[in-house]
Amino acid sequence: MKKQGSDSKPAPVLPALPEPLKDLKIKYTKIFINNEWHDSVSGKKFEVFNPANEEKICEVEEGDKTDVDKAVKAARKAFELGSPWRTMDASERGRLLNKLADLVERDRLILATMEAIDGGKLFSTAYLMDLGACIKTLHYCAGWADKIHGRTVPMDGNFFTFTRHEPIGVCGQIIPWNFPLVMFIWKIAPALCCGNTVVVKPAEQTPLTALYMGSLIKEAGFPPGVVNIVPGFGPTAGAAISHHMDVDKVAFTGSTEVGKLIKEAAGKSNLKRVTLELGGKSPNIIFADADLDTAVEFAHIGLFYHQGQCCIAGSRIFVEEPIYDEFVRRSIERAKKYTLGNPLLPGVQQGPQIDKEQFQKILELIESGKKEGAKLECGGGPWGDKGYFIQPTVFSNVTDDMRIAKEEIFGPVQQIMKFNTIDEVIKRANNTTYGLAAAVFTKDIDKALTFAAALQAGTVWVNCYSAMSAQCPFGGFKMSGNGREMGEYGLHEYTEVKTVTIKIPQKNS
Amino acid sequence: MDQALCSAALGKTLSDHPCEVLVEDLAFLSHAPAAPSQRLNAGLLFSLQIFINNEWHDAVSKKTFPSINPATGEVICQVAEGDKADVDKAVKAAKAAFQLGSPWRRMDASHRGKLLNRLADLIERDRAYLAALETLDNGKPYSVSYLVDLDMVVKCLRYFAGWSDKFHGKTIPLDGDFFCYTRHEPVGVCGQIIPWNFPLLMQAWKLGPALATGNVVVMKVAEQTPLSALYVANLIKEAGFPPGVVNIIPGYGPTAGAAISSHMDIDKVAFTGSTEVGHLIQKAAAESNLKRVTLELGGKSPNIIMSDADMDWAVDQAHFALFFNQGQCCCAGSRTYVQEDIYHEFVERSVEKAKSRVVGNPFDFKTEQGPQVDEEQFKKILGYISTGKREGAKLLCGGNPAADRGYFIQPTVFGDVQDSMTIAREEIFGPVMQILKFRTIEEVIERANDSKYGLAAAVFTKDLDKANYVSQGLRAGTVWINCYDVFGAQAPFGGYKASGNGRELGEYGLEAYVEVKNVTIKIPQKNS
């Protein structure tokens, strides 16, 4: 058996990292409808900030209900029977998505710089990870466009029956600020490969890369009205989408709290289809027989990646009793190594939280941890004198009833708990309203497969964490969401199945 | 062959040819790139040797064979002639590329897709050049090479690029305390033997699914038409496929082809060609190592025209179904069954249409029909025409060579053809149309199915019940309703009966290129 990572790796996984753009210009700040740029009907705009220095980057048109109405009309028109989009070959939809991937690759540096400035994301992460995932996801979905097979069905009686996998229609898509561009692509790529039209609302914190994508979508040659992008706020534009009587489906990624509002709105309006990808409090279980170096590193990255602002963050780390102290010691050591600062600078490993609201919420939860008796091992406060930076924080001696063990913190705050037996840790890991992800570290094949079955989560990692790829379905059990994104499963959320039955004179097998 | 590059000869032939002008003329096609004509002017060099390990090799025997322009009968150039010794070399290279831990085996499936997409991009870049090469070597009209063949090649490669990371194994609810799953693993070294009627397209049909699923390939291209495949070999290297993944050997069937099909180290053989050779291949597989076999063979496809059909459209499509590509299609609609009450009108219009078909220089834009691929085919077809006459079919037009040189045959139509006649039973593979009369649906289904072949079939009718009934009753791998020769990478293609084994294209086409491995792991306790 050979170890991975020898020099015969077939293709470079990551491209060389360039320097971020020095003179990034923000060209697209308006509402994108019908492949054109529109001012908001109300004339309102909102400010977009750089969370690393709290400075204003630009102002963006603020869409609300009337703009959503305009966008939905455009999307509906683009979806009419006989329209260019409806009469297009599926393979041509795939070609357009591949073209879009090529354009994203061409403008990778612009987009990565923009993402770093707008989202406080490390430039290196934005360039290598986020943009890499965007390009691969577009190619992946491009390939599906002409492979979404209906079936012919051996129905009883003298009938010929087949199914058509038809696009649902106008899809509202509301996306979060933690992975602005990746979430944009995760939403539009499956929707478009299945032939839908979309109205996307990017997060008010991070609208810039989504709007830039509007220009690429037009350049790629998607017909007008197929993709519409309305920047704005949740209670106005977001609510307008989820309540809209002419939106056939809404897909949302964000908090569980807002997820409930969206599902309620769908129920109250037109019973639109709903998919939700919400919060998590994902358990990461480390057995004494695990490779400790690997486990510490994955547990660390699984929590601290992107300032802890991941729905999948491994925020409850259950460590088996015999290795608990050593694991905590190494985890602290690892967390202390961080260099915080301007996410555009090389060598910086942690940027700011997205905004003041999140910043304060995280600090408040850290306080609650201390108050409820968890042991603060390192960090625990803000960092620097401007920007929303928080020190990498590790809590040990965390018990299941503490707020920091139950609530989603969405920040760089690691909770480490102790366990003794398999049955106990399964129970404790599953004792949550969430069920997005989970992981187990062990060399024992029986334990690995026991946990793969027992954990109530949409994704289970064994001896790894955060391993995601366009081929794999992703989504939540319980209150972490409804439905799945990506993989072939993700396509089901963007198609209606139509059964067509034709009377025939005589059946023959 | 000096320096193994016979580019000078080829460059000369190409630049002497009117294709340069044509490339210019094609500028009105939005996607006709200007670059290839410059490349032609520059006398682009490419090797005419054997492609192994991303390198060019002379034949071990040092032998070469001529590739001939069927429009003139003149030699275009000499090509290295691979035989058993070269196949052995290629198989060794392929095996090395397929070893556990090799770059190709460790590559992400999505990256295999990326390489296939890149190959499609390169073919698109050199589209005009490849189309000209295809026409020069095969004789098909340049407009068809460029617009049809090359378009389908690019789309096929892109289609399979998409599959590379989507051909899923399954997890299986096995009884007992077990975890059970399947892996779709590549079969291994695949021998692929391709024909001369659609050289580039058949190459894409073979490479697309094999490479998407992670196999390695030893391909033998037809001795009549080796040029475009060898050019593509350059592009395979340029795209970045690791050495040994694709190996291409120009050569003959009885030597190189036989070496592939009886090779003990080839895991699978895929063949497109005649039913006669298909028998030999299946037999060789059985006698050697029981390698997997897929075959796409001959046909004598029925095309059924009901009296309620749209007559203009049916005549048009029936003509296209037979005469497309000089009649050199395995799925050619070579038994046109016409319902009694419209028979005379249909025959009359079909003859009219055949008479107006323009035969000539394949580089001329007006040309609809070029030469047959070689002298052997040319003579065989003329032989069938005389047999038809002798056996009492009515020759309504054509029947003779169409030029003084080159292998041109007049578009030929036979009426009053009976099912028992040789021209109604055997594959002619030429521009010779047989029209037969029928009365009832039951009768025509029986007669249509009374053939050892079962590749394709079609029915023309406006009646929904008839369309469904006939399409279910026909014994053929493809049934077209109110259309003919509609192909897409998405739709599986292959034969019933002696027309072949297995399917190419579509998701079904992947099945021939994977072994399913079932993995079962004991677990302490099952939970749903």
Side-chain angles (χ1 to χ4, degrees), chain B residues 6 10 13 17 48 64-79 132-140 196 199 222-228 252 362-363 371-376 378 405-407:
Chain B
C6 111
L10 181 71
T13 316
H17 226 274
L48 297 165
T64 64
F65 67 97
S67 195
I68 290 166
N69 176 351
T72 61
E74 288 165 5
V75 173
I76 303 168
C77 57
Q78 291 286 327
V79 176
L133 202 54
E134 195 81 326
T135 292
L136 184 68
D137 205 12
N138 165 282
K140 64 176 65 197
W196 47 260
E223 65 273 20
Q224 295 87 344
T225 55
L227 301 187
S228 54
Y252 289 86
F363 280 98
Q372 309 307 123
V373 76
D374 66 7
E375 193 175 4
E376 188 187 333
F378 175 76
R405 65 170 199 163
Y407 311 119

Side-chain angles (χ1 to χ4, degrees), chain A residues 4-6 8 10-11 91 140 143-144 146-147 149 160 445-446 449-450 471 488 502-506 508, chain B residues 100 103 106-108 110-111 117 159 162-163 165-166 168 179 464-465 468-469 472 490 507 521-524:
Chain A
Q4 291 298 304
S6 70
S8 62
S91 65
Y140 178 77
W144 270 123
D146 60 357
K147 299 174 184 68
H149 298 141
F160 164 48
I445 190 170
D446 285 350
L449 291 172
T450 297
Q471 299 91 4
E488 185 175 7
I502 306 177
K503 180 87 184 76
I504 54 172
Q506 183 194 78
N508 278 283
Chain B
L100 277 183
R106 293 182 52 207
M107 188 180 285
D108 282 339
S110 66
H111 196 76
N117 266 327
Y159 177 78
W163 268 124
D165 59 357
K166 299 175 182 69
H168 300 140
F179 165 51
L464 181 59
D465 285 351
N468 280 320
Y469 184 72
Q472 292 190 1
Q490 302 91 359
E507 184 175 6
I521 307 178
K522 180 86 183 78
I523 54 173

Side-chain angles (χ1 to χ4, degrees), chain A residues 253-304:
Chain A
T253 297
S255 72
T256 295
E257 183 194 347
V258 174
K260 285 181 171 182
L261 295 177
I262 298 223
K263 197 153 190 177
E264 213 183 302
K268 274 189 189 156
S269 55
N270 62 345
L271 283 174
K272 56 178 67 65
R273 286 93 190 88
V274 178
T275 48
L276 303 171
E277 201 270 272
L278 308 174
K281 194 74 189 175
S282 297
N284 185 1
I285 297 160
I286 322 286
F287 277 99
D289 69 356
D291 180 310
L292 196 55
D293 288 340
T294 307
V296 167
E297 184 61 21
F298 270 111
H300 176 84
I301 297 294
L303 186 284
F304 287 97

Side-chain angles (χ1 to χ4, degrees), chain B residues 104 107-119 157-158 160-165 211-212 241:
Chain B
W104 182 239
M107 188 180 285
D108 282 339
S110 66
H111 196 76
R112 294 200 302 266
K114 195 169 177 182
L115 293 179
L116 279 167
N117 266 327
R118 210 179 277 164
L119 180 59
L157 292 173
R158 291 201 195 289
F160 283 108
W163 268 124
S164 63
D165 59 357
L211 299 178
F241 285 92

